[in-house]
Amino acid sequence: MKKRILIIGACGQIGTELTIYLREKFGSHKVIASDIREGEATLMQSGPFEILDAMDYEAVQEIVIRYEITDVYLMAAMLSATAEKFPMKGWNLNMNSLFHVLNLAKDKKINKIFWPSSIAVFGPTTPKNDTPQRTVMEPSTVYGISKQTGERWCEYYNKRYGVDVRSIRYPGLISYKTLPGGGTTDYAVDIYHKALKHKKYICFLNAETTLPMMFMDDAIKATVNIMEAEKEKIKTRSSYNLSGMSFNPEEITASIQKHIPQFKISYEPDFRQAIADSWPQSIDDSEAHNDWGWKSEISLDEMTEIMLTNLKDTY
Ligand code: SER
């Protein structure tokens, strides 16, 4: 069967870059972008786009059938900080959209699903360093509960109905092309913008809050690699741990100061501190490495250089 991809949530932080990457790889007309609202011009002009509410099963099904979709990347979700403000809305969006695509795959209307999980599946009782693939998981946020539940359902649909669903537990993602929205790790993007614009940044997490992070290019590569890997290699059908780098606000500040020595950070932790404190500091991703060959390539200092070089002209 010929490949035809649908990206749901194509206008978000990951979706925008993923859509453009997949269009370059497979051809524009093979990759249908969809979102509840239109996105930035580069994305909108790069190929077919449909307005789609991920919660509307009939609408998702109609697009899947009309375009003869084979692979779905479900990138629509409410992230950790926003979901704490709107718990039911976050739960409904994150769960219903997943059930819709799982059921379409169960009914053989699509072949393959990518669904993102997150480091938020872990909680305060999880070992914080080199967090293993399989360990204590008692997430304390709505977002984390929705992702952990989603992982259980993905595994269930794979075992019970043979659904080919593949998933990664993303760490915090950093990009110069798109902005994150409503996450706890968002500071690590904002800090680069503020460093260039104001030479100072007020951080909503404290100096010592170490979190797992990753540059977007690595995340896109991991996403497409797991989807393109041979089926037999994907042994874990809940979600794979994925590791890039780990740093805290003090360390990213030092990395920026190598380029902007006058840059200063101050700290005003808010409700997001408790979310961050419940998450791991570093992740053991050896299963992703062994099963489908994952390896992260970009370090903190390399990322800082790429971010500052590319954002410089904006300010
Ligand atoms: N970056 C996400 C968040 O902060 C974690 O998956 O919510």
Side-chain angles (χ1 to χ4, degrees):
M1 192 192 270
K2 287 208 188 89
K3 189 191 280 293
R4 195 60 88 66
I5 298 170
L6 173 65
I7 299 167
I8 301 175
C11 299
Q13 188 202 12
I14 309 171
T16 303
E17 292 203 33
L18 181 64
T19 303
I20 290 167
Y21 183 92
L22 288 170
R23 282 179 170 163
E24 277 165 13
K25 188 174 169 74
F26 295 113
S28 288
H29 60 291
K30 294 236 165 88
V31 181
I32 317 307
S34 73
D35 205 301
I36 197 142
R37 63 185 72 84
E38 292 194 355
E40 56 172 61
T42 43
L43 173 84
M44 299 304 294
Q45 286 153 14
S46 66
F49 179 85
E50 295 279 344
I51 293 285
L52 178 63
D53 176 356
M55 304 246 281
D56 182 343
Y57 178 77
E58 300 298 326
V60 177
Q61 177 172 249
E62 193 275 318
I63 287 178
V64 161
I65 291 169
R66 176 152 51 96
Y67 286 99
E68 299 177 347
I69 297 297
T70 56
D71 303 4
V72 173
Y73 290 74
L74 174 57
M75 311 312 284
M78 193 185 283
L79 293 193
S80 60
T82 313
E84 289 308 295
K85 292 185 184 151
F86 308 103
M88 285 298 109
K89 229 172 146 179
W91 173 259
N92 288 335
L93 171 62
N94 295 357
M95 296 316 301
N96 292 349
S97 58
L98 175 60
F99 277 123
H100 293 347
V101 294
L102 285 174
N103 284 324
L104 284 167
K106 173 179 156 242
D107 295 343
K108 310 266 182 270
K109 290 178 179 138
I110 47 182
N111 293 349
K112 224 188 311 187
I113 300 167
F114 178 82
W115 175 78
S117 187
S118 160
I119 53 164
V121 292
F122 300 115
T125 52
T126 302
K128 280 210 176 300
N129 289 303
D130 277 332
T131 302
Q133 174 70 38
R134 269 164 273 277
T135 183
V136 179
M137 289 164 91
E138 297 181 320
S140 54
T141 63
V142 173
Y143 177 66
I145 296 169
S146 78
K147 289 294 179 188
Q148 193 202 27
T149 311
E151 286 192 8
R152 298 290 88 227
W153 279 110
C154 287
E155 193 182 274
Y156 183 88
Y157 269 68
N158 174 262
K159 291 217 156 45
R160 173 103 198 254
Y161 307 117
V163 166
D164 188 358
V165 54
R166 304 169 183 213
S167 177
I168 281 168
R169 292 171 181 153
Y170 287 129
L173 298 181
I174 295 145
S175 157
Y176 61 87
K177 292 181 191 153
T178 47
L179 289 171
T184 301
T185 56
D186 296 9
Y187 92 86
V189 179
D190 201 27
I191 194 169
Y192 288 111
H193 289 263
K194 298 286 161 40
L196 286 162
K197 205 170 166 187
H198 305 302
K199 313 276 180 279
K200 58 179 190 219
Y201 181 63
I202 303 170
C203 188
F204 59 76
L205 299 179
N206 69 34
E208 297 85 35
T209 312
T210 301
L211 287 169
M213 301 276 187
M214 182 177 282
F215 187 57
M216 186 63 86
D217 288 16
D218 266 352
I220 299 291
K221 202 180 72 185
T223 306
V224 178
N225 284 358
I226 193 176
M227 277 298 263
E228 293 305 312
E230 290 155 41
K231 207 171 177 174
E232 300 67 44
K233 290 195 171 160
I234 311 303
K235 299 194 182 91
T236 291
R237 293 296 184 155
S238 49
S239 189
Y240 278 95
N241 274 6
L242 197 72
S243 167
M245 57 188 99
S246 284
F247 57 79
N248 63 32
E250 203 167 21
E251 288 160 340
I252 192 175
T253 299
S255 180
I256 294 172
Q257 282 167 339
K258 290 180 191 165
H259 302 264
I260 309 173
Q262 66 276 41
F263 175 58
K264 289 215 162 30
I265 187 164
S266 56
Y267 301 96
E268 288 177 16
D270 66 14
F271 74 101
R272 289 168 283 194
Q273 185 66 49
I275 301 178
D277 287 341
S278 79
W279 289 350
Q281 298 189 341
S282 62
I283 300 287
D284 174 1
D285 63 358
S286 45
E287 288 205 17
H289 178 72
N290 295 337
D291 288 0
W292 47 276
W294 162 249
K295 199 177 175 314
S296 143
E297 280 171 358
I298 299 161
S299 67
L300 172 58
D301 280 339
E302 284 164 347
M303 178 173 80
T304 296
E305 187 154 355
I306 301 170
M307 289 294 287
L308 294 176
T309 309
N310 284 282
L311 289 173
K312 211 169 46 206
D313 295 340
T314 320
Y315 299 106

Short mmCIF file of all heavy atoms in Angstrom, two decimals, residues 175-214:
data_model
loop_
_atom_site.label_atom_id
_atom_site.label_comp_id
_atom_site.label_asym_id
_atom_site.label_seq_id
_atom_site.Cartn_x
_atom_site.Cartn_y
_atom_site.Cartn_z
N SER A 175 13.40 24.45 20.26
CA SER A 175 13.51 24.74 18.84
C SER A 175 13.54 26.25 18.62
O SER A 175 12.96 27.00 19.40
CB SER A 175 12.29 24.14 18.14
OG SER A 175 12.04 24.80 16.93
N TYR A 176 14.22 26.69 17.54
CA TYR A 176 14.16 28.12 17.21
C TYR A 176 13.05 28.42 16.21
O TYR A 176 12.70 29.55 15.97
CB TYR A 176 15.52 28.63 16.70
CG TYR A 176 16.01 27.95 15.44
CD1 TYR A 176 15.63 28.42 14.17
CD2 TYR A 176 16.84 26.84 15.50
CE1 TYR A 176 16.06 27.79 13.02
CE2 TYR A 176 17.27 26.20 14.35
CZ TYR A 176 16.88 26.67 13.12
OH TYR A 176 17.29 26.04 11.97
N LYS A 177 12.49 27.37 15.60
CA LYS A 177 11.48 27.60 14.56
C LYS A 177 10.09 27.78 15.14
O LYS A 177 9.29 28.53 14.60
CB LYS A 177 11.49 26.43 13.58
CG LYS A 177 12.77 26.36 12.75
CD LYS A 177 12.73 25.21 11.77
CE LYS A 177 14.09 24.98 11.13
NZ LYS A 177 14.30 23.60 10.71
N THR A 178 9.78 27.03 16.18
CA THR A 178 8.42 27.11 16.73
C THR A 178 8.46 27.25 18.24
O THR A 178 9.40 26.81 18.90
CB THR A 178 7.62 25.83 16.39
OG1 THR A 178 8.44 24.69 16.68
CG2 THR A 178 7.22 25.80 14.93
N LEU A 179 7.40 27.86 18.78
CA LEU A 179 7.33 28.07 20.22
C LEU A 179 6.49 26.98 20.87
O LEU A 179 5.53 26.51 20.29
CB LEU A 179 6.69 29.44 20.52
CG LEU A 179 7.53 30.66 20.18
CD1 LEU A 179 6.69 31.92 20.31
CD2 LEU A 179 8.76 30.74 21.08
N PRO A 180 6.87 26.58 22.10
CA PRO A 180 6.03 25.62 22.82
C PRO A 180 4.82 26.35 23.40
O PRO A 180 4.78 27.58 23.41
CB PRO A 180 6.95 25.14 23.93
CG PRO A 180 7.89 26.27 24.17
CD PRO A 180 8.03 27.02 22.89
N GLY A 181 3.86 25.61 23.89
CA GLY A 181 2.69 26.25 24.50
C GLY A 181 2.18 25.46 25.68
O GLY A 181 1.75 24.32 25.54
N GLY A 182 2.28 26.05 26.87
CA GLY A 182 1.62 25.46 28.04
C GLY A 182 2.38 24.35 28.72
O GLY A 182 1.80 23.58 29.50
N GLY A 183 3.69 24.24 28.48
CA GLY A 183 4.47 23.18 29.13
C GLY A 183 5.31 23.73 30.28
O GLY A 183 5.46 24.95 30.44
N THR A 184 5.89 22.81 31.05
CA THR A 184 6.73 23.16 32.20
C THR A 184 8.18 23.36 31.75
O THR A 184 8.95 24.04 32.40
CB THR A 184 6.62 22.04 33.26
OG1 THR A 184 5.24 21.94 33.61
CG2 THR A 184 7.44 22.32 34.48
N THR A 185 8.53 22.75 30.62
CA THR A 185 9.90 22.88 30.12
C THR A 185 10.06 24.07 29.16
O THR A 185 11.15 24.31 28.64
CB THR A 185 10.32 21.58 29.38
OG1 THR A 185 9.36 21.33 28.35
CG2 THR A 185 10.35 20.40 30.33
N ASP A 186 8.99 24.84 28.97
CA ASP A 186 9.00 25.94 27.99
C ASP A 186 10.06 27.01 28.29
O ASP A 186 10.48 27.74 27.39
CB ASP A 186 7.64 26.67 27.96
CG ASP A 186 6.51 25.78 27.48
OD1 ASP A 186 6.73 24.56 27.35
OD2 ASP A 186 5.40 26.30 27.27
N TYR A 187 10.47 27.12 29.56
CA TYR A 187 11.44 28.16 29.91
C TYR A 187 12.72 28.03 29.07
O TYR A 187 13.36 29.02 28.73
CB TYR A 187 11.78 28.09 31.42
CG TYR A 187 12.97 27.23 31.75
CD1 TYR A 187 14.27 27.76 31.70
CD2 TYR A 187 12.83 25.87 32.05
CE1 TYR A 187 15.37 26.96 31.96
CE2 TYR A 187 13.93 25.07 32.31
CZ TYR A 187 15.20 25.62 32.26
OH TYR A 187 16.29 24.83 32.50
N ALA A 188 13.05 26.77 28.72
CA ALA A 188 14.31 26.51 28.03
C ALA A 188 14.29 26.98 26.57
O ALA A 188 15.32 27.00 25.91
CB ALA A 188 14.67 25.03 28.11
N VAL A 189 13.13 27.38 26.08
CA VAL A 189 13.04 28.03 24.76
C VAL A 189 13.01 29.54 24.98
O VAL A 189 13.77 30.31 24.38
CB VAL A 189 11.77 27.59 23.99
CG1 VAL A 189 11.70 28.31 22.65
CG2 VAL A 189 11.77 26.08 23.80
N ASP A 190 12.13 29.97 25.89
CA ASP A 190 11.94 31.39 26.17
C ASP A 190 13.25 32.08 26.57
O ASP A 190 13.50 33.23 26.20
CB ASP A 190 10.90 31.50 27.30
CG ASP A 190 10.25 32.86 27.34
OD1 ASP A 190 10.19 33.52 26.26
OD2 ASP A 190 9.81 33.26 28.42
N ILE A 191 14.08 31.37 27.30
CA ILE A 191 15.32 31.96 27.82
C ILE A 191 16.22 32.46 26.67
O ILE A 191 16.86 33.50 26.78
CB ILE A 191 16.06 30.96 28.75
CG1 ILE A 191 17.14 31.65 29.56
CG2 ILE A 191 16.64 29.77 27.96
CD1 ILE A 191 17.72 30.76 30.69
N TYR A 192 16.24 31.75 25.55
CA TYR A 192 17.08 32.18 24.42
C TYR A 192 16.53 33.47 23.79
O TYR A 192 17.27 34.38 23.43
CB TYR A 192 17.14 31.07 23.36
CG TYR A 192 17.98 29.89 23.76
CD1 TYR A 192 17.39 28.65 24.01
CD2 TYR A 192 19.37 30.00 23.87
CE1 TYR A 192 18.17 27.54 24.37
CE2 TYR A 192 20.15 28.90 24.23
CZ TYR A 192 19.54 27.68 24.48
OH TYR A 192 20.31 26.61 24.84
N HIS A 193 15.18 33.52 23.67
CA HIS A 193 14.56 34.73 23.11
C HIS A 193 14.85 35.94 24.00
O HIS A 193 15.23 37.00 23.53
CB HIS A 193 13.05 34.52 22.98
CG HIS A 193 12.67 33.54 21.91
ND1 HIS A 193 12.30 33.94 20.64
CD2 HIS A 193 12.62 32.18 21.89
CE1 HIS A 193 12.02 32.86 19.90
NE2 HIS A 193 12.21 31.79 20.65
N LYS A 194 14.67 35.76 25.32
CA LYS A 194 14.87 36.88 26.26
C LYS A 194 16.34 37.26 26.37
O LYS A 194 16.68 38.42 26.56
CB LYS A 194 14.30 36.52 27.64
CG LYS A 194 12.78 36.26 27.64
CD LYS A 194 11.99 37.54 27.52
CE LYS A 194 10.54 37.37 27.07
NZ LYS A 194 9.77 36.27 27.59
N ALA A 195 17.22 36.28 26.24
CA ALA A 195 18.67 36.58 26.30
C ALA A 195 19.06 37.52 25.17
O ALA A 195 19.82 38.47 25.36
CB ALA A 195 19.47 35.28 26.22
N LEU A 196 18.50 37.27 23.99
CA LEU A 196 18.83 38.12 22.84
C LEU A 196 18.13 39.48 22.93
O LEU A 196 18.70 40.51 22.59
CB LEU A 196 18.43 37.41 21.54
CG LEU A 196 19.36 36.25 21.14
CD1 LEU A 196 18.68 35.35 20.12
CD2 LEU A 196 20.69 36.78 20.58
N LYS A 197 16.88 39.44 23.40
CA LYS A 197 16.05 40.66 23.39
C LYS A 197 16.37 41.61 24.54
O LYS A 197 16.55 42.80 24.35
CB LYS A 197 14.59 40.21 23.49
CG LYS A 197 13.59 41.18 22.93
CD LYS A 197 12.23 40.51 22.86
CE LYS A 197 11.12 41.50 22.64
NZ LYS A 197 9.81 40.84 22.75
N HIS A 198 16.43 41.05 25.77
CA HIS A 198 16.56 41.91 26.96
C HIS A 198 17.85 41.68 27.75
O HIS A 198 18.08 42.37 28.74
CB HIS A 198 15.39 41.66 27.92
CG HIS A 198 14.04 41.82 27.31
ND1 HIS A 198 13.63 42.99 26.72
CD2 HIS A 198 12.99 40.96 27.22
CE1 HIS A 198 12.38 42.84 26.28
NE2 HIS A 198 11.97 41.61 26.56
N LYS A 199 18.63 40.67 27.38
CA LYS A 199 19.85 40.30 28.13
C LYS A 199 19.53 39.90 29.57
O LYS A 199 20.40 39.85 30.43
CB LYS A 199 20.89 41.44 28.15
CG LYS A 199 21.16 42.09 26.79
CD LYS A 199 22.17 41.29 25.99
CE LYS A 199 22.47 41.89 24.64
NZ LYS A 199 21.48 41.57 23.61
N LYS A 200 18.26 39.66 29.86
CA LYS A 200 17.92 39.11 31.18
C LYS A 200 16.66 38.26 31.09
O LYS A 200 15.86 38.41 30.16
CB LYS A 200 17.77 40.22 32.22
CG LYS A 200 16.74 41.25 31.89
CD LYS A 200 16.67 42.26 33.02
CE LYS A 200 15.46 43.13 32.77
NZ LYS A 200 15.58 44.51 33.04
N TYR A 201 16.51 37.37 32.06
CA TYR A 201 15.37 36.45 32.04
C TYR A 201 14.92 36.15 33.46
O TYR A 201 15.75 35.90 34.34
CB TYR A 201 15.77 35.14 31.34
CG TYR A 201 14.63 34.15 31.26
CD1 TYR A 201 13.49 34.45 30.53
CD2 TYR A 201 14.69 32.91 31.91
CE1 TYR A 201 12.43 33.55 30.46
CE2 TYR A 201 13.64 32.00 31.83
CZ TYR A 201 12.51 32.33 31.11
OH TYR A 201 11.47 31.45 31.05
N ILE A 202 13.61 36.20 33.68
CA ILE A 202 13.05 35.79 34.98
C ILE A 202 12.50 34.38 34.79
O ILE A 202 11.58 34.18 33.99
CB ILE A 202 11.95 36.76 35.45
CG1 ILE A 202 12.50 38.18 35.52
CG2 ILE A 202 11.39 36.32 36.81
CD1 ILE A 202 11.44 39.25 35.74
N CYS A 203 13.08 33.43 35.53
CA CYS A 203 12.75 32.02 35.31
C CYS A 203 11.68 31.55 36.30
O CYS A 203 11.77 31.83 37.50
CB CYS A 203 14.02 31.20 35.49
SG CYS A 203 13.79 29.48 35.02
N PHE A 204 10.71 30.79 35.79
CA PHE A 204 9.63 30.29 36.66
C PHE A 204 9.99 28.99 37.37
O PHE A 204 9.18 28.43 38.10
CB PHE A 204 8.31 30.18 35.91
CG PHE A 204 8.33 29.27 34.70
CD1 PHE A 204 8.31 27.88 34.85
CD2 PHE A 204 8.34 29.79 33.40
CE1 PHE A 204 8.32 27.05 33.75
CE2 PHE A 204 8.35 28.96 32.29
CZ PHE A 204 8.34 27.57 32.46
N LEU A 205 11.21 28.49 37.14
CA LEU A 205 11.73 27.34 37.91
C LEU A 205 12.98 27.82 38.65
O LEU A 205 13.63 28.77 38.20
CB LEU A 205 12.10 26.19 36.97
CG LEU A 205 10.98 25.59 36.12
CD1 LEU A 205 11.52 24.49 35.23
CD2 LEU A 205 9.83 25.08 36.99
N ASN A 206 13.34 27.14 39.75
CA ASN A 206 14.54 27.58 40.46
C ASN A 206 15.82 27.08 39.79
O ASN A 206 15.77 26.22 38.90
CB ASN A 206 14.47 27.23 41.95
CG ASN A 206 14.55 25.73 42.21
OD1 ASN A 206 15.23 25.01 41.49
ND2 ASN A 206 13.86 25.27 43.25
N ALA A 207 16.96 27.63 40.26
CA ALA A 207 18.25 27.41 39.59
C ALA A 207 18.65 25.94 39.48
O ALA A 207 19.32 25.54 38.54
CB ALA A 207 19.35 28.18 40.34
N GLU A 208 18.20 25.13 40.46
CA GLU A 208 18.70 23.73 40.53
C GLU A 208 17.78 22.72 39.86
O GLU A 208 17.98 21.53 39.97
CB GLU A 208 18.87 23.30 42.00
CG GLU A 208 19.90 24.10 42.78
CD GLU A 208 19.32 25.37 43.35
OE1 GLU A 208 18.13 25.35 43.73
OE2 GLU A 208 20.03 26.38 43.39
N THR A 209 16.74 23.20 39.16
CA THR A 209 15.75 22.25 38.62
C THR A 209 16.28 21.58 37.35
O THR A 209 16.10 22.08 36.24
CB THR A 209 14.43 22.99 38.30
OG1 THR A 209 14.08 23.80 39.42
CG2 THR A 209 13.31 22.01 38.01
N THR A 210 16.89 20.43 37.53
CA THR A 210 17.42 19.68 36.39
C THR A 210 16.31 18.86 35.74
O THR A 210 15.58 18.15 36.43
CB THR A 210 18.57 18.76 36.84
OG1 THR A 210 19.58 19.58 37.42
CG2 THR A 210 19.14 17.95 35.67
N LEU A 211 16.18 19.01 34.42
CA LEU A 211 15.16 18.24 33.68
C LEU A 211 15.76 17.66 32.41
O LEU A 211 16.70 18.23 31.84
CB LEU A 211 13.99 19.17 33.30
CG LEU A 211 13.05 19.62 34.41
CD1 LEU A 211 12.12 20.72 33.91
CD2 LEU A 211 12.23 18.44 34.95
N PRO A 212 15.19 16.55 31.93
CA PRO A 212 15.63 15.99 30.65
C PRO A 212 15.11 16.86 29.50
O PRO A 212 13.95 17.26 29.49
CB PRO A 212 14.96 14.61 30.61
CG PRO A 212 14.38 14.37 31.97
CD PRO A 212 14.15 15.71 32.57
N MET A 213 15.98 17.16 28.56
CA MET A 213 15.64 18.05 27.44
C MET A 213 16.22 17.49 26.14
O MET A 213 17.13 16.66 26.16
CB MET A 213 16.24 19.44 27.66
CG MET A 213 15.81 20.14 28.92
SD MET A 213 14.24 21.00 28.67
CE MET A 213 14.15 21.87 30.26
N MET A 214 15.74 18.06 25.01
CA MET A 214 16.26 17.61 23.71
C MET A 214 16.07 18.70 22.65
O MET A 214 15.05 19.40 22.66
CB MET A 214 15.50 16.35 23.29
CG MET A 214 15.97 15.75 21.99
SD MET A 214 15.10 14.23 21.62
CE MET A 214 15.96 13.12 22.69
#
